[in-house]
Amino acid sequence: MKSEKLLSVQNLKTHFSVGNSIVKAVDGVSFDLESGKTFAIVGESGSGKSITALSIMGLLPNNLAQVDRGKIIFSEQDLLTLEEKEMRKIRGNNISMIFQEPMTSLNPVYDLAFQISEVIMLHQNKNKQDARKIAIEMLDLVGIPEPQKRINSFPHELSGGMRQRAMIAMALSCNPKILIADEPTTALDVTIQAQIIELMQELQKKLGMSIVFITHDLGVVSEISDYVMVMYLGNTMEIAETNEIFSNPIHPYTKSLIDIAPQITEEKRKIQVLKGEIPSPINPPSGCVFRTRCPNASSNGKEGDIEMGLIEVKPGHWVDRCGVNCGHLRT
């Protein structure tokens, strides 16, 4: 039986004004997040993953960024139509976010007690003493040893893994329905990465929350996600269940990402790379945005004749129409 749809992003377009140019950081992204599921957003740096997340959270600066079109439906409300005061009630309370770098996300001049308790007092109307108690319980929940002592620590006194656990504790302190994790394992060593991923999976089962997991690491995606959206230059290239993405990738960009992912095998294997660089978002290629790097671009894709847009190739498996045409050319 299909899970309840908790969040629906519909044709989201977020643009930035840079001088006289418009940067289409997110250009028509759509996806649904089901209750209790993990939805991964994958792509290279500059593909629009983090901007998508910040658009959902309403954290982009109004003087620089503009959501030109689309809807973000949560609890039968379009978040894009809410005033900042209304959005503040949802942000942190119903939808929380873990940012990429905990050392810069945590305030260096305040201890954990202040930073976590502040969130709890704001959203749950708790007094300082009760908020501190809940904060200690959250630190214990995410596996920080001696939480009664660590609650008084400042960020610089914690290791990278501990800072990330503290960020998770802060994000979960109000029992959100949705957790957006923006590359939560970046800059952590492999052992700590595995611990953080395992922790998030355990907390998801325990708390029943949904997760939007942003990453460029396909190895992590295969472990943690139920669904995957592949992004490139602000556009959606492919969406499907995780097993379907890995067993039957169609878009050449998806195939390229899978091919270049490191693999541990007995035989020696030459390290694969994706040739070229992501084009400037100020002046993207016409037609298919991936055509300048596509290993087997069709003539239509090269000429820019094909209009981008997702088509459903099989139930639940969506691929950009240009990717469908040239994706099957690969041998």
Side-chain angles (χ1 to χ4, degrees):
M1 186 173 69
K2 196 169 183 179
S3 302
E4 173 192 358
K5 186 190 298 184
L6 193 59
L7 180 75
S8 180
V9 177
Q10 303 170 10
N11 195 30
L12 179 66
K13 295 191 176 186
T14 303
H15 299 169
F16 289 83
S17 296
V18 180
N20 296 323
S21 302
I22 298 295
V23 176
K24 298 179 179 180
V26 177
D27 197 22
V29 167
S30 300
F31 67 89
D32 293 328
L33 175 64
E34 296 178 10
S35 179
K37 301 294 185 179
T38 298
F39 187 93
I41 303 179
V42 182
E44 296 169 278
S45 296
S47 61
K49 307 184 301 296
S50 295
I51 299 300
T52 299
L54 293 172
S55 298
I56 294 172
M57 295 293 292
L59 291 175
L60 292 171
N62 293 328
N63 60 327
L64 296 176
Q66 180 180 1
V67 178
D68 288 347
R69 191 178 303 172
K71 294 181 179 180
I72 302 173
I73 307 299
F74 174 75
S75 294
E76 301 182 353
Q77 297 182 93
D78 183 357
L79 301 186
L80 297 179
T81 65
L82 300 182
E83 298 291 336
E84 175 60 23
K85 184 178 180 180
E86 297 173 296
M87 190 62 198
R88 198 177 294 125
K89 295 177 182 178
I90 293 175
R91 188 192 302 129
N93 194 26
N94 292 305
I95 307 176
S96 287
M97 186 169 177
I98 304 171
F99 297 92
Q100 285 191 31
E101 177 48 63
M103 191 58 196
T104 56
S105 300
L106 291 169
N107 194 320
V109 301
Y110 292 110
D111 60 18
L112 297 185
F114 177 86
Q115 297 191 59
I116 301 177
S117 297
E118 183 183 33
V119 177
I120 297 169
M121 288 188 290
L122 176 64
H123 290 292
Q124 297 192 28
N125 296 319
K126 300 289 185 180
N127 59 39
K128 188 174 181 179
Q129 183 177 355
D130 289 340
R132 180 184 175 88
K133 182 179 179 181
I134 295 173
I136 292 173
E137 292 173 353
M138 294 307 303
L139 292 181
D140 184 50
L141 180 66
V142 299
I144 291 183
E146 300 183 295
Q148 295 87 351
K149 293 182 179 179
R150 289 293 185 183
I151 192 73
N152 298 314
S153 298
F154 289 82
H156 71 273
E157 298 177 307
L158 303 174
S159 66
M162 287 296 179
R163 288 195 294 267
Q164 194 60 288
R165 287 172 185 268
M167 281 293 300
I168 295 174
M170 186 185 303
L172 299 182
S173 60
C174 295
N175 297 318
K177 294 180 180 179
I178 299 173
L179 176 66
I180 299 176
D182 189 1
E183 306 221 24
T185 57
T186 297
L188 300 178
D189 63 57
V190 176
T191 303
I192 302 302
Q193 284 185 26
Q195 292 176 2
I196 295 298
I197 291 169
E198 185 179 359
L199 171 64
M200 292 183 65
Q201 289 175 313
E202 290 176 356
L203 293 174
Q204 183 179 34
K205 291 178 181 178
K206 185 172 184 178
L207 303 176
M209 64 185 176
S210 300
I211 297 176
V212 177
F213 195 94
I214 297 172
T215 184
H216 60 271
D217 190 337
L218 285 173
V220 173
V221 168
S222 63
E223 289 183 41
I224 197 170
S225 68
D226 298 292
Y227 299 90
V228 180
M229 177 172 70
V230 180
M231 289 187 68
Y232 181 81
L233 206 64
N235 292 266
T236 302
M237 301 289 99
E238 192 161 357
I239 300 178
E241 291 187 8
T242 302
N243 291 336
E244 174 70 10
I245 282 284
F246 282 93
S247 63
N248 184 34
I250 293 178
H251 198 286
Y253 183 57
T254 306
K255 293 178 179 180
S256 297
L257 289 180
I258 293 174
D259 283 348
I260 65 177
Q263 297 180 10
I264 299 177
T265 58
E266 292 183 2
E267 61 181 80
K268 291 184 179 180
R269 182 174 180 268
K270 186 178 179 181
I271 297 177
Q272 302 293 318
V273 295
L274 183 56
K275 296 181 180 179
E277 297 180 355
I278 295 181
S280 168
I282 295 178
N283 187 29
S286 59
C288 176
V289 294
F290 186 58
R291 67 180 177 82
T292 57
R293 302 175 72 193
C294 183
N296 52 344
S298 67
S299 59
N300 284 336
K302 290 179 181 178
E303 295 166 5
D305 292 341
I306 293 182
E307 182 180 350
M308 296 194 68
L310 294 177
I311 57 175
E312 193 171 21
V313 296
K314 62 166 40 175
H317 192 160
W318 297 80
V319 186
D320 176 71
R321 64 179 71 250
C322 187
V324 172
N325 286 349
C326 68
H328 291 299
L329 298 178
R330 189 172 203 188
T331 56

